[in-house]
Amino acid sequence: MNLLTILPLAVVMVAGTQLVVAVFLASSDRPRAASLGFLVGAGLVVAAGVTAGWLLTRLVGGVAADATAVAGKVDRGPAIDLVVLALLVILAVLIWARRNRSGPPRWLGSIEHAGPPQAMRLGALLFVATPTDDLTMATVGASVARHDLPWWHLVPFVLLTVLLLALPLLALLLLGSRAARVLTRMREWAEGHAWIVNEIVIAFFALLTVLDLIRSG
C-alpha cells in the first residue's frame, strides 16, 4: 500500500451533498468568506476522523499482538483487513441505498446568507453527521495503520479532500461571472452521478484489500 492507494477515497468523502453545499456557498452572499469557513470546518473534522481511525486501529492491534505474542502469532494484518473490508461493504450498501435521492436538501436555502462561523460549523457537522463519511474516515485511518504507516501518510488524503471541496470556490475565483454555468454542472453531477463514481472507488479499494488478505494467507 502507498499514498496513492487511499487518495481515491477522498472522492467518496465529497461526492454528493458535501459538494452540493460547497457549490451553494460559492453562490452565496459572501462566497469567499463562507467557502473558506466551510473548508476549515470540514478539514478539521476529516483530519480528526482519520486520525481517530488510525489511533484506534494501532491501539487495538497492539493489544491483540501482545495477547498472541506467546503463541508466536503477531500478524494482526489479516484481521484488520477483514474489518476494513466489512466497512467497505457497509459503505457500498449505504451509497446504493441512497442512490435515488435527488435534489438538494431543503435546508440549503438557509445558508444563502451564511457567514464564516456558520459555514465552518456546517462543514464540521456535515461530515460528522454523514454515516458514509464516518465509515470512509475509519476505513482510511485503519488502512494506513494496518500497513504500519506513520500518521503523516493521512495528510495527503485530508488535503485532497479539502481541495475537492474547494473546486467551486476555485471556479469562482478563476472564472468570475462565468462560474455560474460550471457551478451548476458541478451540482447536477453531484446530485445525479456521484454515487456511481463512489461505488467504483469503493470496489477498487475493496479489491486491493482482498489482495492483501490473499497475500497474508
Side-chain angles (χ1 to χ4, degrees):
M1 176 179 174
N2 52 46
L3 289 175
L4 296 178
T5 305
I6 62 172
L7 289 182
L9 287 175
V11 176
V12 180
M13 292 289 295
V14 305
T17 302
Q18 292 75 10
L19 186 58
V20 173
V21 171
V23 170
F24 268 78
L25 288 174
S27 307
S28 64
D29 293 343
R30 304 171 62 186
R32 294 169 178 80
S35 295
L36 288 175
F38 179 73
L39 294 176
V40 170
L44 290 174
V45 168
V46 173
V50 295
T51 299
W54 182 81
L55 288 173
L56 182 61
T57 302
R58 287 178 64 89
L59 176 62
V60 173
V63 172
D66 290 341
T68 57
V70 175
K73 299 176 181 178
V74 295
D75 186 9
R76 53 188 168 84
I80 297 177
D81 283 336
L82 287 174
V83 172
V84 170
L85 193 59
L87 291 174
L88 290 170
V89 170
I90 296 172
L91 183 59
V93 170
L94 282 176
I95 291 174
W96 174 263
R98 294 164 174 247
R99 71 191 185 282
N100 291 325
R101 294 187 181 183
S102 59
R106 296 178 181 178
W107 50 263
L108 275 184
S110 64
I111 69 173
E112 182 179 356
H113 309 290
Q118 181 183 353
M120 184 170 67
R121 290 193 297 270
L122 176 61
L125 291 173
L126 190 60
F127 281 87
V128 170
T130 303
T132 52
D133 286 338
D134 296 332
L135 288 171
T136 304
M137 289 185 286
T139 300
V140 169
S143 297
V144 171
R146 178 261 183 271
H147 291 87
D148 294 319
L149 297 175
W151 174 87
W152 68 264
H153 279 73
L154 297 168
V155 175
F157 174 83
V158 176
L159 293 179
L160 180 58
T161 301
V162 174
L163 177 61
L164 292 175
L165 286 175
L167 289 179
L169 176 60
L170 293 175
L172 177 67
L173 295 176
L174 295 175
L175 301 177
S177 59
R178 295 176 297 172
R181 180 181 299 179
V182 175
L183 294 177
T184 299
R185 290 179 178 175
M186 284 185 183
R187 188 186 69 222
E188 291 175 347
W189 176 85
E191 291 175 352
H193 303 93
W195 73 271
I196 300 175
V197 178
N198 288 342
E199 296 287 28
I200 292 173
V201 172
I202 292 169
F204 168 74
F205 198 79
L207 175 61
L208 294 179
T209 304
V210 169
L211 292 176
D212 277 342
L213 275 170
I214 294 173
R215 285 192 292 264
S216 302

